[in-house]
Amino acid sequence: MPFRDKVERLVVRVHNWSNRQRLGRFTYKLLAGVAIAMGAFLLFNVCFPCRVRVDYAQIVTASDGTVMTAFLTRDDKWRMMTELDEITPDMQKAIVFKEDKYFYQHPGVNPAAIARALFNNIKTGTRTSGASTITMQVARMLQPKERTYGNKMLEMFRALQLDMLYSKAEILQLYLNLVPYGGNIEGVKAASVLYLGKNPEVLSLAELTALSIIPNRPTSLRPGINNDIITQERNKWLERFREAGLFSDETIDDAINEPFNAIRTEVPKMARHFSTRMRLTHPGIPIIKTTIQPEVQDKCEQLLQDYVKTLWTYNIQNGACIVINNHTHQIDAYVGSADFFNTVDGGQVDGVRSVRSPGSTLKPLLYALAFDAGLYTPQAAIADVPVNYSGYAPENYDETYHGNVTIAHALANSLNVPAVRVLHELGMEQYIQALTASGFNTIAEQKKDLGLSLALGGCGVTLEELTRLYAAFATSGTQHHLAYLQEDKDTSTVKICSPEAAFMITEILTQLTRPDLPVYYQNARNVPTVAWKTGTSYGRRDAWSIGYNSDYTVGVWIGNFSGTGIPELTGAQVATPLLFNLFYALNTKTDGTWNRMPENVQFRYVCDITGKIPSAQCQNQVMDYFIPGKSPNDTCRHLIPVQVDAHAKESYCTTCLPETGYKTVWYENISPELISWRIENHIPFEKIPPHNSKCERVFTENAPVITSPLSQMEYLLEKEDPQKIMLQANVAADVEKVFWYVNNKLLTSAKAGEAVFYVPTEGKTVVSCSDDKGRNAKTTFTVTFF
């Protein structure tokens, strides 16, 4: 090779080597610059972290996502949170196409858009185009600042941070939650609800396109005011969507032809009491998703409001109701008052949670416990006659007594005296323990101060607590945790009574022959298939009616929050009609067979007088339910054999029974208290003849029971005109005469069951009595003059 060629080749190699050296230095500098930039970004990211705090307007939604109520943010904005599943694919495509076509490609900042905007602005000398991405807009809305180039750099920095911290879907969600729509409305959801009355996931293409253009000009494009201009702008963008092939021609044509009928509406105001309660219970949660069924809630609100209006003429101003789904154990409806905005009778008071006197509504639990304790069965007899327990003398609602009645009759007719008898026999401790376990909070707090009047409503309960208790009867005696929120998966339960007792109670409460059936429902065809119980508090301040079937348990309270008593206010005639209307509105398909008998409940024939297993003397028998191994198995003794002389003038015992000249006669085996009641009310009955006067036997059983005066009581009497004190005792059926003693001195004698009156002296007094069989009783009391 010639020398010249060698020299030329060497020169070329040296030149190429020099170029490579320069390229390497450029790459090195480029990489170093990138590394420095990244390091600086990471340093600034640590020093100035991105904290996203969005104060959302708290909303309470129904089971289908319907917004029931919303509450303003601290800065008085309607800024409702749009959830990810509410951002439809159409909304996503439309927003991204309009605002940031390369949203899914860039890291929060679009360098090409920035270069283009910078070139155009320098070229024209004015700001003619922007370069804000969706992420940069989010950064600006999170931290609003004056529009300067410095703040633009800060926006870009924050956008890069956001893109690093959040997914694209979450950034788009933030954008849709923050965009302004004029006034104090921010976010697509707020605009959708307040302008179009619907949630964003059901927006049409026309509607979401219209909402997408308003944030660019929120002042001049006001829905309800500038609908025509909004429609024109919307259609322009729809044509651009068509040109880009974003949607089909048919879809675009339908959207263009769809009218835009937006109008500013009020925030939804459904279930105000319930929503307020949920907001206070769950602060800081943007969307409280409840179990409320909107159709059921709307019906209940309307029915309650309309019904209470018909009661205004009686000065009855308010009411409340609650509906529990017996299958899901969720709250389907919750109405705290007839009118939330009623200023006359405290419409904002929550009647579902207000503590009131329950009247007779606690009696079903009492009898269920008695069934489980083996004390009674539905057809068992109990005395409805005057009683006195240490000064407490209960009376029936109608101030009359009915003698022996069945337990089923006592419950169906809501008799007070039998209920107090059962509670006295069952025991206060067991009853209070069951009520406390059921969740009656006020009873739990006041249990030390409660007495036998508890059976008649001498305590405080809420409509919510009562309805929850009755729901247990609908679910075989098991009380389930009530769910208010969709996310509540608590499956805890409390056994209130056995399935057998719950079945018996339900059988009794479904009877139609009862005094608390409203007069307008005497025709059985008009009565829904439900079990129900009414209650009226002392002074007629509260009217209750709680009912249930296999599907729902409904509780109703009617009255005045002021506590004003109304003569016409009763559970039967005022609360129950609304209860029946609510069941009709629920359109439940329950028929008469819904209360299925548990396997451990059996039938048996019992005496129709005592409800006990029949003896040979029981001529009439009735069918009764019983629980094997629990229910009493006593044989009936409503008739007892007594040996009398030939003329039935004297009776004999085994001690004085003659060898001849007597006969056996069957007499009613009546308790002393029932005897006294019959004598006092002049109810004839065949008494056992007086015992043989020559008999030397000393009787100890069936001693008299002094019912007045009360033992250990203090009587306050006027000194100038002292009242007389009544002496009375319940005695056995074979007693003819009672002898009364005061401080061990004979006062007088009287017929069995006859009351004696005397003027007492001041101080401690001992009163005793003896019947004609020599059986004695004694009591002590004190008299104080004033």
Side-chain angles (χ1 to χ4, degrees), residues 116-130 149:
R116 184 188 67 250
L118 184 61
F119 176 78
N120 290 335
N121 293 343
I122 293 174
K123 180 179 178 181
T124 60
T126 59
R127 184 180 299 169
T128 60
S129 63
Y149 286 108

Side-chain angles (χ1 to χ4, degrees), residues 512 517-518 521-530 532 580 584:
L512 297 179
L517 182 67
Y521 289 87
Q522 295 302 321
N523 185 345
R525 290 178 299 177
N526 295 329
V527 179
T529 308
V530 297
W532 85 96
F580 288 173
Y584 284 132

Side-chain angles (χ1 to χ4, degrees), residues 231-241 243 256:
T231 301
Q232 293 174 10
E233 296 298 319
R234 176 201 71 183
N235 292 345
K236 291 179 182 178
W237 274 102
L238 286 171
E239 290 296 346
R240 293 172 188 169
F241 294 163
E243 293 173 4
I256 289 175

Side-chain angles (χ1 to χ4, degrees), residues 305 307-318 342:
Q305 187 175 54
Y307 181 75
V308 169
K309 285 180 181 178
T310 67
L311 304 176
W312 286 356
T313 55
Y314 303 107
N315 197 30
I316 300 172
Q317 301 283 341
N318 241 310
N342 176 6

Side-chain angles (χ1 to χ4, degrees), residues 72-135:
L72 284 166
T73 62
R74 287 186 290 269
D75 56 350
D76 293 330
K77 299 282 188 177
W78 292 119
R79 187 186 300 116
M80 302 179 189
M81 180 179 178
T82 306
E83 296 188 281
L84 289 172
D85 58 4
E86 292 178 309
I87 304 173
T88 63
D90 286 352
M91 182 185 297
Q92 177 184 335
K93 286 195 294 185
I95 295 296
V96 170
F97 179 83
K98 178 179 176 298
E99 295 294 330
D100 188 358
K101 293 185 179 66
Y102 302 100
F103 174 67
Y104 292 102
Q105 285 74 44
H106 61 66
V109 177
N110 189 340
I114 293 174
R116 184 188 67 250
L118 184 61
F119 176 78
N120 290 335
N121 293 343
I122 293 174
K123 180 179 178 181
T124 60
T126 59
R127 184 180 299 169
T128 60
S129 63
S132 293
T133 62
I134 288 177
T135 315

Side-chain angles (χ1 to χ4, degrees), residues 484-552:
Y484 301 87
L485 304 181
Q486 296 177 33
E487 64 183 19
D488 190 348
K489 304 303 179 184
D490 189 345
T491 58
S492 60
T493 60
V494 176
K495 185 178 180 181
I496 301 302
C497 64
S498 69
E500 296 78 19
F503 166 78
M504 293 179 182
I505 293 297
T506 301
E507 282 292 291
I508 296 171
L509 296 183
T510 52
Q511 295 179 16
L512 297 179
T513 306
R514 47 199 279 191
D516 60 352
L517 182 67
V519 293
Y520 298 108
Y521 289 87
Q522 295 302 321
N523 185 345
R525 290 178 299 177
N526 295 329
V527 179
T529 308
V530 297
W532 85 96
K533 181 72 182 74
T534 63
T536 305
S537 68
Y538 179 77
R540 300 200 177 190
R541 295 179 175 88
D542 309 278
W544 306 86
S545 191
I546 320 293
Y548 60 92
N549 58 20
S550 60
D551 296 326
Y552 298 100

Side-chain angles (χ1 to χ4, degrees), residues 63 70 118 122 133 148 177 198 347 400 482 485 545 571 646 665 723:
S63 59
L118 184 61
I122 293 174
T133 62
T148 64
N177 285 333
K198 60 180 69 175
T400 62
L482 294 183
L485 304 181
S545 191
V665 179
Q723 296 173 298

Side-chain angles (χ1 to χ4, degrees), residues 293 296 323-327 330 332 467 470-471 474 530-531 547-554 582-583 586-590 594:
Q293 300 292 323
V296 178
V323 177
I324 298 173
N325 189 309
N326 292 334
H327 300 293
Q330 296 176 341
D332 279 6
T467 310
Y470 278 70
V530 297
Y548 60 92
N549 58 20
S550 60
D551 296 326
Y552 298 100
T553 302
V554 179
L582 290 170
F583 270 105
L586 290 171
N587 196 28
T588 178
K589 302 298 182 182
T590 300
W594 64 274

